[in-house]
Amino acid sequence: MHLFLALPSEARLKGRMAMSVSRESGQGKPKLLDSVRDAIRFKHYSLRTEQAYVDWIKRFILFHGKRHPEGMGAEEVRTFLSDLAANQNVAASTQNQAFSALLFLYRDVLKHDLPWIDNIERAKRPAKVPIVLTPEEARAIISKLHGTSRLMAQLLYGCGLRVMECVRLRVKDIDFGYLQITVRDAKGGRDRITMLPVSLVEPLRRQIERRRLMHEEDLAAGHGKVYLPGAFAKKNPGAAREFGWQYLFASRNRSSDPREKSGSAKESRHHIAETLLQRAVKTAVRDAGLNKPASCHTFRHSFATHLLENGYDIRTVQELLGHKDVSTTMIYTHVLNKPGIGVKSPLD
């Protein structure tokens, strides 16, 4: 009797072992994507990078009929990238992101030598002059915004922040004593300091006070935690409930950390979604009657250009923007030197 009952469980065990072996041998796609996520988190890449890379790897596998990447190489990568450009008309930056995702897959996850990688050309991004608002246009757009969106747009223009740098600001990053803002873990993983406009001191104080009341309500309800970067949550778990670590512009609703497994993650107060600000700015541009295709990032371009117009040296602007190389900042000198600004037309 006992032997008869044991047989089915042994069969199930063998079945599970066979399934495990098949996944280890590369037949299980979830196993591969889990390995991709683990490798990305080991390198401390951002959640956005993780989501983008996983999505491109999925698309690559589906494009080739669900074949495992172990059995593919240079020709399959080249065919996939060519299809993106020829049939889907993606931008060069999008094609390069797909290339980077596949490069990460083969180099960091599958641990393959890539002698063939040099024969695959990256798409060249065309040189474009950034769109820049005049000071009057920037103020006109901001005047059409209200509440939190208005304050965030003022920070984009007044401090040269990227949109994600703005939404990820924490209370402790605002220094009223030195009139400066610390931008942490920005593009490239670098921190930097930029100025805090005097005109935003009182609006930011009011925003911090509103944020304090929201945090006190969260604590009273048994919540009040916020996402902490890297291993800091383990080193100082109590910091997750400290007010200084809270996001300055918080979401109305609590949510769970997408990095955690479903069912195990506890609710916390995340930052506001950047799409809310982007949509508000798009509407404000239209309401201001501007014909320029301006966006949130246009405020950053305008910040840099207006500083150079006011006589500040390019190295200072480079530091405020957080550019690793001054050549990136030099693009704003092209804006200053374009015809109609420094050169008088013969027609006039």
Side-chain angles (χ1 to χ4, degrees):
M1 183 68 178
H2 293 291
L3 178 61
F4 178 77
L5 292 174
L7 287 175
S9 63
E10 290 179 0
R12 287 195 296 268
L13 178 60
K14 289 181 179 179
R16 287 195 295 267
M17 290 176 63
M19 184 180 297
S20 176
V21 170
S22 67
R23 290 190 173 187
E24 289 294 337
S25 63
Q27 298 302 317
K29 189 166 62 175
K31 182 66 176 181
L32 174 66
L33 296 180
D34 286 343
S35 298
V36 172
R37 293 186 182 94
D38 290 342
I40 289 174
R41 294 175 189 183
F42 178 77
K43 290 182 173 292
H44 299 287
Y45 288 176
S46 70
L47 180 61
R48 298 302 177 90
T49 301
E50 176 183 323
Q51 293 169 338
Y53 278 20
V54 169
D55 182 61
W56 280 120
I57 292 168
K58 284 182 181 178
R59 292 177 63 175
F60 175 64
I61 293 171
L62 292 173
F63 179 81
H64 289 290
K66 298 184 180 180
R67 292 168 57 193
H68 195 279
E70 285 278 7
M72 296 188 282
E75 189 57 36
E76 288 80 6
V77 171
R78 188 180 294 107
T79 302
F80 177 67
L81 296 176
S82 297
D83 179 77
L84 291 177
N87 299 326
Q88 301 186 41
N89 297 318
V90 302
S93 58
T94 303
Q95 189 181 11
N96 283 330
Q97 185 187 63
F99 183 90
S100 297
L102 298 179
L103 178 63
F104 182 86
L105 170 66
Y106 280 99
R107 183 187 58 196
D108 295 278
V109 180
L110 300 178
K111 306 297 182 183
H112 283 193
D113 291 329
L114 304 175
W116 45 265
I117 207 70
D118 295 332
N119 297 324
I120 300 179
E121 293 186 6
R122 285 181 178 266
K124 294 183 179 179
R125 299 179 62 179
K128 294 183 179 180
V129 175
I131 297 169
V132 176
L133 302 167
T134 65
E136 294 74 22
E137 289 171 335
R139 286 193 288 269
I141 295 173
I142 292 173
S143 69
K144 299 297 181 179
L145 294 166
H146 306 281
T148 301
S149 297
R150 181 189 181 99
L151 178 56
M152 295 177 77
Q154 288 175 314
L155 286 169
L156 296 181
Y157 177 52
C159 311
L161 301 181
R162 299 178 179 93
V163 63
M164 290 308 300
E165 292 172 349
C166 183
V167 300
R168 289 173 177 164
L169 283 175
R170 299 182 190 251
V171 173
K172 66 184 182 63
D173 298 331
I174 311 299
D175 189 336
F176 293 110
Y178 283 101
L179 289 178
Q180 64 186 29
I181 295 175
T182 303
V183 182
R184 303 184 188 278
D185 197 23
K187 190 174 182 179
R190 297 182 296 273
D191 294 354
R192 74 176 189 277
I193 291 176
T194 187
M195 79 279 284
L196 169 58
V198 176
S199 58
L200 295 186
V201 169
E202 287 308 313
L204 282 172
R205 288 189 187 278
R206 291 194 295 269
Q207 173 64 23
I208 289 175
E209 188 56 33
R210 286 192 295 268
R211 187 65 187 88
R212 186 188 302 278
L213 295 175
M214 179 187 289
H215 183 55
E216 290 175 352
E217 291 176 359
D218 283 343
L219 291 175
H223 297 284
K225 276 193 170 185
V226 70
Y227 166 75
L228 296 178
F232 190 73
K234 293 183 179 179
K235 295 179 181 177
N236 189 0
R241 285 191 168 88
E242 292 179 5
F243 179 60
W245 278 98
Q246 303 300 310
Y247 287 113
L248 180 61
F249 302 107
S251 172
R252 291 183 179 180
N253 302 316
R254 292 186 294 268
S255 59
S256 57
D257 189 347
R259 296 177 180 84
E260 299 293 336
K261 295 181 180 179
S262 59
S264 64
K266 296 182 179 180
E267 286 189 347
S268 60
R269 181 76 65 176
H270 204 51
H271 59 66
I272 192 173
E274 73 279 9
T275 52
L276 297 178
L277 176 60
Q278 290 167 339
R279 286 197 294 264
V281 169
K282 184 178 181 179
T283 301
V285 171
R286 184 189 62 221
D287 293 344
L290 299 185
N291 295 321
K292 292 180 179 179
S295 64
C296 288
H297 205 68
T298 308
F299 284 120
R300 178 173 163 88
H301 292 322
S302 305
F303 165 84
T305 303
H306 297 166
L307 286 181
L308 291 172
E309 286 178 338
N310 292 334
Y312 292 97
D313 66 276
I314 196 164
R315 292 288 183 181
T316 299
V317 178
Q318 176 193 355
E319 291 184 8
L320 292 173
L321 292 175
H323 288 160
K324 185 177 181 181
D325 196 311
V326 72
S327 62
T328 308
T329 319
M330 289 292 290
I331 191 172
Y332 299 109
T333 63
H334 299 168
V335 178
L336 296 176
N337 295 330
K338 67 180 180 180
I341 293 183
V343 178
K344 188 174 182 179
S345 170
L347 182 63
D348 297 329

